[in-house]
Amino acid sequence: MTTYQVNERGYYGNFGGAFIPEMLYPNVEELRTRYLDIIEEPSFQEEFQQLLKDYVGRPSPLYFAKRLSEKYGTKVYLKREDLNHTGAHKVNNTLGQILLAKRLGKKNIIAETGAGQHGVATATVCALMGMDCIVYMGEVDIERQKPNVGRMKLLGAKVIPAMSGSRTLKDATNEAMRHWISNPVDTHYIIGSVVGPHPYPDMVARFQSVISEEMKWQLKEQTGKEDPDCIIACVGGGSHAMGAFYHYLDREQVRLIGAEAAGLGISTGESAATTFIGRAGVLHGSKTLLMQTEDGQVVEPYSISAGLDYPGIGPVHAHLHDTKRADFFAVTDMEAMAAGMELCRLEGIIPAVESAHALAVLKKEQFKENEVVVINLSGRGDKDLETYLRELKRKTPH
Ligand SMILES: *Cc1c(COP(=O)(O)O)cnc(C)c1O
């Protein structure tokens, strides 16, 4: 039987592993040898579950979207990660990682961020735990994402600009790695998606797996059975998609769909649709599919949604793609914006533009009337108000 879980060497089929500079080896090795024991400790689980409930506000509702269902002639349920504290799924992971860091005796937290969402989720849990927080962010992104920079500062984090290269996410990642090498003993590096060297992809997947754990009993309660026919989630690095797929990976009758950002179109050179145009390579410490030039230079990704603007995907998704366990769809900026606006008007929910990519799959795939389709609504759209209003003006100029 094909397994979709990580093996002992940190691989999902042909993808994964830990490609790190030798100086990082002790940190990653400490994490690798201890993460499972710590996560499984009853006292860890007790503290994690309590905070997920009282601080994050879990369980997040599973909502039957009646008007959306009528429009598409199928049964659509929305898993409401947008209702979590801080407005998205990212806090599930940062909370898990900071509790782990505490048990490893770490005093300081570092993170890198592109759009600032992961930076905010990290700064939030650092404030909660009274730990020092440094967030590396490309100078260009600091300029583009001012509200999130403000939030991080307000929460007490120090935001350090990465000034090298294109001054965006990959440069911030390099700076964070460099910091970790120089401060190996007392610092934990919180990675924000199912990416990075083993054991990060598996660790993050476990923290996000609460999503499908809840889906199982919520579906049972509302539909009479645990299994939906299909689960759809957008994929940046793929953390909330993995959380939504996790407990269904081995139930082959449940169809899994990942929605990738096609930006202006997959053949325009302005996209982030890795499964369509990427090739195997090493990014951020693991072997995965990534967008690269002929000679292996990472290509700058583009998407209207900052959270999907990543040149790779997590190694587990590369494997799900390889084995055809999951289907991937490429959704353009325009298709996502239309689907996001539609949800506003049909259900009174303003989704993050990232999440709107998953909603757009309803236009591309016909589901049967009695099929149950769960869409993981990864975040809320407050942060995207300007983007939506620009679109509204374009459509109805008067
Ligand atoms: C960060 C983000 C994503 C993409 O991250 P994944 O690791 O792919 O889940 C998607 N939606 C929202 C709202 C985000 O903030």
Side-chain angles (χ1 to χ4, degrees):
M1 194 182 110
T2 316
T3 173
Y4 304 106
Q5 294 296 344
V6 77
N7 72 17
E8 263 148 52
R9 295 179 306 113
Y11 277 82
Y12 301 88
N14 297 319
F15 302 100
F19 297 80
I20 49 171
E22 204 170 322
M23 308 231 342
L24 270 186
Y25 186 79
N27 307 42
V28 174
E29 187 60 9
E30 178 185 41
L31 210 53
R32 187 185 73 80
T33 53
R34 300 203 45 203
Y35 81 110
L36 285 178
D37 286 342
I38 293 176
I39 293 175
E40 282 161 13
E41 273 169 23
S43 68
F44 178 94
Q45 278 303 324
E46 200 176 308
E47 192 176 1
F48 187 40
Q49 297 304 332
Q50 187 79 48
L51 286 168
L52 284 177
K53 177 169 172 278
D54 299 332
Y55 188 71
V56 176
R58 303 202 72 92
S60 67
L62 182 74
Y63 165 68
F64 175 60
K66 186 156 171 281
R67 288 185 5 107
L68 191 66
S69 296
E70 272 162 14
K71 162 115 202 224
Y72 289 97
T74 188
K75 294 195 179 111
V76 184
Y77 289 79
L78 303 175
K79 182 62 173 151
R80 302 288 309 275
E81 293 300 298
D82 60 313
L83 294 178
N84 292 340
H85 177 47
T86 69
H89 65 286
K90 286 193 171 73
V91 69
N92 302 328
N93 167 49
T94 56
L95 190 58
Q97 283 200 49
I98 203 159
L99 294 179
L100 187 105
K102 246 182 28 176
R103 282 161 175 81
L104 288 171
K106 307 294 180 186
K107 303 274 178 290
N108 306 307
I109 296 294
I110 55 167
E112 92 286 333
T113 195
Q117 307 277 94
H118 173 57
V120 171
T122 303
T124 299
V125 297
C126 286
L128 177 70
M129 293 294 156
M131 282 166 93
D132 276 351
C133 181
I134 293 179
V135 179
Y136 288 94
M137 191 168 182
E139 198 188 24
V140 170
D141 290 333
I142 289 181
E143 199 48 46
R144 285 194 290 207
Q145 310 288 344
K146 282 200 179 119
N148 277 341
V149 174
R151 284 184 190 106
M152 286 185 265
K153 288 186 175 161
L154 199 55
L155 291 161
K158 193 166 160 195
V159 181
I160 302 186
M163 317 281 275
S164 61
S166 56
R167 292 171 292 141
T168 57
L169 181 62
K170 72 174 163 29
D171 312 293
T173 304
N174 290 340
E175 297 287 334
M177 292 271 190
R178 211 166 292 147
H179 180 119
W180 208 23
I181 289 173
S182 340
N183 304 272
V185 180
D186 62 356
T187 301
H188 176 69
Y189 177 16
I190 298 190
I191 292 182
S193 190
V194 286
V195 301
H198 178 64
Y200 277 100
D202 184 53
M203 181 168 72
V204 176
R206 283 168 189 266
F207 292 142
Q208 293 292 358
S209 71
V210 63
I211 297 171
S212 48
E213 199 179 304
E214 290 171 1
M215 265 162 57
K216 277 169 59 183
W217 62 259
Q218 289 172 323
L219 279 167
K220 175 93 180 158
E221 232 171 56
Q222 295 186 45
T223 71
K225 50 182 192 141
E226 285 188 351
D227 290 0
D229 293 287
C230 182
I231 303 170
I232 308 174
C234 66
V235 174
S239 68
H240 79 276
M242 195 51 192
F245 296 169
Y246 196 86
H247 291 283
Y248 293 105
L249 286 170
D250 292 327
R251 304 206 196 186
E252 306 268 352
Q253 68 274 25
V254 179
R255 187 171 174 206
L256 309 176
I257 293 181
E260 285 211 85
L264 303 182
I266 49 177
S267 53
T268 61
E270 298 288 331
S271 89
T274 310
T275 58
F276 290 84
I277 55 176
R279 285 181 294 120
V282 171
L283 178 70
H284 211 150
S286 69
K287 186 176 166 202
T288 190
L289 289 175
L290 83 112
M291 303 191 335
Q292 51 189 308
T293 59
E294 283 293 316
D295 48 3
Q297 293 286 347
V298 176
V299 172
E300 267 308 301
Y302 163 78
S303 163
I304 194 168
S305 63
L308 302 184
D309 192 349
Y310 184 70
I313 48 172
V316 64
H317 291 288
H319 182 53
L320 294 176
H321 176 257
D322 220 27
T323 55
K324 302 197 163 54
R325 174 66 186 95
D327 296 324
F328 289 83
F329 284 70
V331 175
T332 64
D333 288 358
M334 275 177 54
E335 291 168 333
M337 290 311 294
M341 309 259 281
E342 183 178 78
L343 192 72
C344 297
R345 299 292 171 94
L346 283 180
E347 298 288 348
I349 297 170
I350 304 172
V353 173
E354 288 83 357
S355 319
H357 286 71
L359 293 162
V361 171
L362 290 174
K363 279 212 195 314
K364 296 176 170 275
E365 189 73 2
Q366 182 66 51
F367 295 98
K368 297 198 193 81
E369 201 182 322
N370 58 351
E371 281 188 310
V372 171
V373 178
V374 178
I375 297 177
N376 202 22
L377 213 65
S378 54
R380 67 177 84 122
D382 310 29
K383 66 183 179 60
D384 300 316
L385 199 59
E386 272 180 43
T387 311
Y388 276 122
L389 290 179
R390 219 177 300 130
E391 181 68 8
L392 192 63
K393 200 162 175 194
R394 200 179 64 80
K395 286 206 144 146
T396 47
H398 306 293

